[in-house]
Amino acid sequence: MTVTANNMRLLDTTTPSPQDGPVARPGELGPLVEEIAEAGLRGRGGGWFPTARKLAAVAGASSRSRPPVVVVNAMEGEPLSAKDARLLAHAPRLVVEGALAAARTIGAHRVILAVPEGTPVPPGLDVEVREGPRRFLSGQETALVNWLNGGSAVPTSTVPYRKGVGGRATLVSNAETFAHLALIARYGARWFRSEGTAEAPGTTLISLSVGDGPPMVLEVPVGTPVSEILHAGGVSFPPDAVLFGGFGGAWLNGAHAWSLPLSPGPLAAAGAAMGAGIVAVPPPGRRGLDQTASIVEWMAAQGAHQCGPCTFGLPAVAADLRELADRPGTADARAALVRLRRRLGLLPGRGGCAHPDGVARLVGSALEVFGRELTR
Ligand SMILES: Cc1cc2nc3c(=O)[nH]c(=O)nc-3n(C[C@H](O)[C@H](O)[C@H](O)COP(=O)(O)O)c2cc1C
Ligand code: SF4
């Protein structure tokens, strides 16, 4: 198993053939859900949650008088991610085919494709296309639903699978998830499982950034060694550090990362996460703390400033990290480190969404991986 064109399933599929299947009545589930459960498809939007369980939850929360809604989340707010845009440019009909198959499975009559404003979308797609604001939080599912309902693209406390678009039970899944779903509907669970690992079958799209260059998009079987993925980006030796999961992800020491398979379980055990398939290697010579401080400054500005952790916590963490990065070894930096460690313990679980948790994880991993920079 290597990073080769042979593994391509999504990016090589340019002429999908829509498959019509039986339509479930709202409140019931169509037969495709069993195939999806057997395939072990897990969502590619960041959380790797089992898609069949989401379909069942949405179907269970809808009724004949209130059929559910399907939303394709192609908002891709993460700056290091390019996979959804690439997928939509390359195989938009495959994504739509998957969304329509999901809609038939849960009895949905309305399917919305949500893309960032200015995204070129081919005409004649059999779905409603909505263009949303290009912001980090726009793809968070409650923010997306709120915006589709006419509000701002900021997270809310509603649960989309119960009360989403127009108050209906709503399935929000990532664009790549729907593309895999389409191929499972066509070729079946066993075919899907012929790549990937038992815990996370199939291939996955990776946005790989090396240095300051734009991300390149690869399709690899889940479980591909990180070393092979980095090789494909021209990295021949373990780098100092690798960032997994993007701006809300985690740094790992490069030598450690080099030996890992890219799969949710092993990455979680190492303290990182697959997220939406982002792998990034910093430019040579760029100090990790400095780079992390820049990311956190950007993330603090992206917060919706509705809850304490976003309004006060993130800007304070950004300022402390900047102090550490710019003036390591000084008394001010030591005081900033003490404050930072305390604040990192306070952020997770306190916001209305997981935005502050992601920043806390990123900064915690940076302190570990770039610890030597603190005493420079
Ligand atoms: C801060 C934040 C930003 C997110 N941005 C996106 C995004 O741009 N695209 C996306 O598909 N999911 C994003 N998610 C995840 C969604 O909330 C949701 O879990 C996902 O669309 C579910 O799709 P899946 O089941 O196919 O993984 C984000 C989550 C958080 C906490
Ligand atoms: S934590 Fe931040 S982004 Fe999340 S809901 Fe609260 S203010 Fe909004």
Side-chain angles (χ1 to χ4, degrees), residues 40 45-46 78 88 90 92 111 115 146 157-158 178 225 234 260 283 289 302 311 313 319 326 331 346-347 360 374:
E78 160 68 53
L88 276 185
H90 200 77
V111 179
V115 296
N146 197 42
S157 56
T158 58
F178 285 113
L260 289 173
L289 283 184
Q302 293 291 310
T311 312
D326 288 357
L346 293 175
L347 281 181
L374 295 174

Side-chain angles (χ1 to χ4, degrees), residues 249-266:
W251 293 100
L252 288 184
N253 169 283
H256 185 192
W258 191 257
S259 64
L260 289 173
L262 194 85
S263 192

